[in-house]
Amino acid sequence: DFMLVHALDGYDEISLTGDTKIFNKNGEEIFSATELGFKNIEAETIFGGNTKEEATKIFRTILEGKGTYEQNAVVLANAAMALKNTEKYGDYENCLQMATESLMEGKALNCLNVLID
């Protein structure tokens, strides 16, 4: 199984700054931010930093549950779509719920900490 994700405005992920095209074994589909459960966002709100250190700090802030709406939305949309691609967790809505619980309950942060240790 595979999934290629490409935001139509140039990002190599679901950015929610515009529509996203997803290719998989069943063909291709285009999704709007609304169809993915979120509102459209501005690119400036998901800036990842100028250095690896800044990006790391932003990433940790999000995993600590302190991300902005926009940061969380992008992380959750991408995580949910990745879960959906495994075909183990049901439809996108269920996968989004699982991703949200993982982020908000600290499970995602715990996984990172285990990897680091």
Side-chain angles (χ1 to χ4, degrees):
D1 291 334
F2 70 94
M3 179 179 285
L4 300 174
V5 180
H6 172 66
L8 296 181
D9 59 356
Y11 289 91
D12 62 352
E13 64 180 353
I14 298 170
S15 66
L16 304 175
T17 57
D19 290 349
T20 300
K21 184 180 278 192
I22 297 180
F23 298 90
N24 62 29
K25 66 183 180 184
N26 299 316
E28 64 183 70
E29 292 181 82
I30 296 177
F31 296 93
S32 68
T34 304
E35 290 171 316
L36 295 171
F38 301 96
K39 64 181 182 179
N40 277 359
I41 62 175
E42 299 296 322
E44 308 79 59
T45 64
I46 57 170
F47 177 68
N50 289 311
T51 65
K52 288 187 275 186
E53 293 77 20
E54 287 177 7
T56 299
K57 183 176 180 182
I58 292 167
F59 183 64
R60 276 202 157 278
T61 297
I62 295 166
L63 290 184
E64 290 169 355
K66 301 174 189 168
T68 64
Y69 168 84
E70 294 85 358
Q71 291 168 330
N72 290 343
V74 169
V75 167
L76 293 173
N78 281 283
M81 197 58 74
L83 289 170
K84 182 180 181 299
N85 187 56
T86 69
E87 298 181 349
K88 294 179 182 179
Y89 305 105
D91 62 14
Y92 175 81
E93 289 76 20
N94 191 60
C95 292
L96 180 57
Q97 180 181 349
M98 290 178 65
T100 301
E101 289 172 9
S102 179
L103 181 62
M104 296 305 156
E105 294 176 6
K107 295 175 188 175
L109 178 61
N110 287 340
C111 286
L112 174 65
N113 289 333
V114 167
L115 285 172
I116 291 171
D117 290 341

